[in-house]
Amino acid sequence: MEKIFTEDDLIYIQSRGNSIEKIQQQLDFFIQGLPNVNLVRSAKVGDGIWQFSKEEVAVFVNYFDKYKKNYSIEKFVPASGAATRMFKFLNEFLNEFDADNDTINSYINKQNAKDISIFIFGLKNFPFYRELKEKTIQLYPNYYDLSSDIKYYILIKTLLSKEGLDYANKPKGILPFHVRDEKIITPIEENIFEAEFFKKDNQKTKIHFTINKEFQFDFEKITDQFSECEISYSYQNQSTDTLAVNNDNTPFRIEDNKLFFRPGGHGALIDNLNALQSDIIYIKNIDNVSQNHRIAIETNKKLLGGILIWMQYKIFNYLKLLSTGNVTENQINDIKDFAEKKMAFPLQEEFNFFQTEYKIEYLIKVLNRPIRVCGMVKNEGEPGGGPFWVQDEKGRQTLQIVESSQIDLNNSSQKNIAKEATHFNPVDIVCGVKNFKGEKFDLTQFVDPRTAFITEKTKHGKSIKALELPGLWNGAMAKWTTIFVEVPLETFNPVKTVNDLLKSSHQPDNG
């Protein structure tokens, strides 16, 4: 370490709250490389994914409603990211459109820019249209004298420019997504409305947003109207930032010869999740909200919660029994069967030859982990991670959510398995984060650090390498008990681009 870092470097690392041991581990990852995941097969219904009939769903929904009063429940919403990608094609249009020579149609034909065509055609149906029009006229008093092509150009410029609405630089959470009863509704509000399903009498509904501190006032301006909710915030801690390196794996330095750190990605939020003290925590992305599918969403949220509560009940009873040490061979076989069939954790063949004492010790280790129940929707071409059976370096097979960046797509076998995926991850997760004694798990102990990945970036015009931490629902939860459950596609309504707001799930239901 002394050869790589100066004394000033070490002081700077510690002043940021970074762990010197973790920095060394990061350097080792850059030098040695990181392994791709080893896919065994995609998880399917009947092989890693649970599927339920309407009657079975109703049983778990009722189970959740009956027992939710026994648990503290909270919703965790990652909401710090800016909406930059949401408006990417509009920014490209502003950079490429030649106002003197181009028409909108010539630009669309030249660039094959169907998304611009859709945006303009649907312009009046966007929830921000009225505000956009008013702001444009305020900035450009001669707006009505302009040609239609220039009007559209000016509208888009107003939407994205700093003197205009500056939407691409704001968090998605505070943007207009829906209009209901002529009132603008933001994703923050939709997430709060959606949390009503776990509301309990005489208790405030708890919702936690991870945000960029710069925008806390904007969030609070919206959330302060919900006095019946307990809203809390946290920020991505700079101690989770990762060190950037040059192409030769030496630390990259900026002005004053200072080390350069970058945010470690959403995997850093495992620390934020770990700080919450509720028994049960729902996780959902800020932009996955709907104007029209509230009943389906609520039903499936209760389904996932009911499964979690039932699984915990079974697991906790087994752990209490195992902890006594007074367990028969038949009971051990029952627990083994449960671990393999319900918890999707195949035990090694040698288990059958263990002495009883070691069987008990091993089963306690298998059962005593955080639990996540993850909704999975049928794969219809949407981008995102998927559910797979993965084999680790010890030969154990477990269920994991895997992103394409974790897969060696140059390996034909791995590529074929990835293509066979029938479902993908909409980030619809409910977590049980306490053990059978009611003690909070330290979630940082269940991360697989080797599921991080290296990306190429630029800084000051120079090529650098950066490390993304294991994703929050990928490697950061790799060692959890994982249950995958099929949920309807109508529960997944993300807004990845602004044009997604024109889809029926985000438009007023006039039927």
Side-chain angles (χ1 to χ4, degrees):
M1 289 288 283
E2 287 73 18
K3 294 178 182 178
I4 300 171
F5 298 116
T6 66
E7 188 174 332
D8 285 345
D9 289 337
L10 297 176
I11 292 170
Y12 178 57
I13 290 169
Q14 290 179 317
S15 72
R16 300 180 86 264
N18 292 89
S19 157
I20 291 175
E21 289 74 23
K22 285 189 177 179
I23 297 297
Q24 181 62 62
Q25 183 186 58
Q26 290 166 20
L27 286 173
D28 290 342
F29 286 158
F30 283 122
I31 294 166
Q32 298 166 10
L34 284 158
N36 294 108
V37 296
N38 183 10
L39 303 181
V40 179
R41 62 189 183 279
S42 63
K44 293 181 169 64
V45 170
D47 183 24
I49 300 178
W50 296 7
Q51 185 185 64
F52 296 103
S53 65
K54 286 184 179 179
E55 294 74 21
E56 290 168 328
V57 169
V59 169
F60 280 111
V61 167
N62 291 334
Y63 193 84
F64 177 83
D65 284 335
K66 182 177 180 180
Y67 292 106
K68 70 177 181 181
K69 64 180 182 294
N70 299 334
Y71 301 87
S72 58
I73 305 176
E74 191 163 358
K75 186 175 185 180
F76 179 86
V77 185
S80 57
T84 310
R85 291 182 187 176
M86 186 172 159
F87 299 97
K88 182 174 180 286
F89 74 87
L90 293 179
N91 264 317
E92 290 172 352
F93 168 77
L94 290 179
N95 292 331
E96 296 166 353
F97 185 76
D98 182 347
D100 293 327
N101 300 307
D102 282 342
T103 65
I104 296 294
N105 283 333
S106 70
Y107 174 84
I108 291 169
N109 292 331
K110 182 171 65 177
Q111 304 289 345
N112 193 26
K114 294 179 183 176
D115 38 20
I116 289 291
S117 179
I118 292 168
F119 178 84
I120 289 172
F121 183 78
L123 190 57
K124 292 183 179 179
N125 293 316
F126 284 108
F128 50 75
Y129 177 70
R130 183 183 297 178
E131 182 188 17
L132 175 60
K133 190 81 174 287
E134 290 172 356
K135 189 68 176 178
T136 304
I137 294 168
Q138 177 189 331
L139 292 175
Y140 303 92
N142 66 332
Y143 172 79
Y144 287 110
D145 299 328
L146 302 172
S147 69
S148 59
D149 285 311
I150 301 302
K151 279 181 180 177
Y152 288 128
Y153 176 82
I154 292 298
L155 280 166
I156 294 171
K157 186 176 179 181
T158 302
L159 183 69
L160 301 182
S161 66
K162 278 190 165 37
E163 62 273 15
L165 300 182
D166 199 24
Y167 273 6
N169 292 313
K170 293 179 178 178
K172 281 185 182 180
I174 67 175
L175 299 184
F177 263 35
H178 301 149
V179 178
R180 195 150 53 241
D181 300 326
E182 298 190 358
K183 182 181 183 299
I184 295 293
I185 308 292
T186 64
I188 295 171
E189 293 163 284
E190 293 290 22
N191 271 281
I192 293 172
F193 296 147
E194 190 184 284
E196 289 179 6
F197 77 93
F198 64 80
K199 181 177 175 57
K200 292 184 278 188
D201 292 339
N202 305 315
Q203 289 188 30
K204 290 193 172 188
T205 303
K206 298 176 75 172
I207 305 169
H208 183 88
F209 294 96
T210 65
I211 63 171
N212 183 324
K213 195 171 186 177
E214 175 189 352
F215 293 100
Q216 182 159 343
F217 175 77
D218 300 277
F219 272 77
E220 289 177 341
K221 204 160 56 173
I222 296 169
T223 59
D224 281 352
Q225 63 186 301
F226 296 94
S227 57
E228 72 281 9
C229 296
E230 182 182 324
I231 310 287
S232 58
Y233 303 97
S234 65
Y235 327 110
Q236 191 166 313
N237 196 317
Q238 71 170 11
S239 67
T240 62
D241 292 351
T242 60
L243 183 67
V245 299
N246 296 298
N247 287 328
D248 64 357
N249 299 318
T250 57
F252 180 81
R253 296 178 183 274
I254 51 176
E255 51 274 359
D256 300 328
N257 207 35
K258 187 174 283 187
L259 298 170
F260 178 55
F261 287 84
R262 296 187 73 263
H266 66 68
L269 297 182
I270 194 68
D271 285 355
N272 304 61
L273 184 68
N274 199 35
L276 302 186
Q277 297 302 311
S278 297
D279 301 322
I280 293 174
I281 302 170
Y282 280 86
I283 302 178
K284 191 173 185 183
N285 280 335
I286 187 71
D287 68 339
N288 184 12
V289 291
S290 174
Q291 178 91 308
N292 305 316
H293 300 320
R294 189 72 54 80
I295 293 175
I297 291 168
E298 179 177 299
T299 297
N300 284 280
K301 282 279 188 289
K302 290 182 177 182
L303 166 67
L304 300 180
I307 293 167
L308 175 72
I309 293 171
W310 179 79
M311 283 292 293
Q312 276 195 332
Y313 174 77
K314 297 285 288 184
I315 290 170
F316 287 2
N317 279 343
Y318 283 139
L319 283 167
K320 288 170 186 173
L321 174 62
L322 290 166
S323 297
T324 66
N326 185 22
V327 189
T328 66
E329 204 57 40
N330 283 340
Q331 288 171 325
I332 286 175
N333 288 333
D334 286 343
I335 298 171
K336 174 180 179 288
D337 192 55
F338 180 84
E340 293 188 321
K341 293 182 179 176
K342 296 297 184 185
M343 295 174 61
F345 196 95
L347 273 60
Q348 58 201 78
E349 288 183 18
E350 306 91 86
F351 177 85
N352 295 321
F353 303 103
F354 292 167
Q355 293 181 346
T356 300
E357 182 182 347
Y358 187 49
K359 283 183 179 179
I360 292 171
E361 182 182 326
Y362 188 80
L363 286 171
I364 288 175
K365 189 175 179 181
V366 169
L367 268 62
N368 197 30
R369 296 179 291 151
I371 307 171
R372 57 173 176 165
V373 180
C374 312
M376 290 290 157
V377 296
K378 287 183 179 176
N379 194 337
E380 296 197 356
E382 293 280 353
F388 292 91
W389 286 97
V390 172
Q391 185 167 294
D392 65 18
E393 67 278 3
K394 294 182 180 178
R396 292 175 303 202
Q397 294 183 13
T398 58
L399 288 173
Q400 302 290 340
I401 296 170
V402 180
E403 304 286 340
S404 59
S405 58
Q406 298 176 267
I407 303 169
D408 180 5
L409 295 175
N410 293 318
N411 180 313
S412 58
S413 171
Q414 294 289 287
K415 187 176 181 178
N416 288 336
I417 294 172
K419 280 184 175 178
E420 291 168 0
T422 58
H423 291 70
F424 73 95
N425 166 44
V427 189
D428 198 355
I429 303 171
V430 57
C431 308
V433 294
K434 293 184 179 176
N435 66 19
F436 70 105
K437 297 177 183 177
E439 301 163 335
K440 178 85 178 3
F441 284 111
D442 177 1
L443 302 182
T444 64
Q445 299 303 304
F446 297 86
V447 176
D448 181 357
R450 292 181 64 77
T451 55
F453 55 95
I454 295 167
T455 60
E456 293 183 4
K457 305 287 183 182
T458 57
K459 180 69 175 176
H460 299 331
K462 295 180 180 178
S463 175
I464 63 172
K465 293 197 288 187
L467 189 75
E468 294 276 340
L469 295 174
L472 180 59
W473 38 82
N474 310 112
M477 295 182 175
K479 299 177 183 178
W480 292 40
T481 291
T482 297
I483 310 295
F484 292 147
V485 179
E486 185 180 81
V487 294
L489 193 59
E490 61 190 323
T491 64
F492 183 55
N493 306 282
V495 177
K496 299 304 180 188
T497 82
V498 64
N499 284 349
D500 287 334
L501 291 174
L502 298 174
K503 292 179 178 179
S504 60
S505 57
H506 296 289
Q507 289 292 306
D509 184 2
N510 298 317

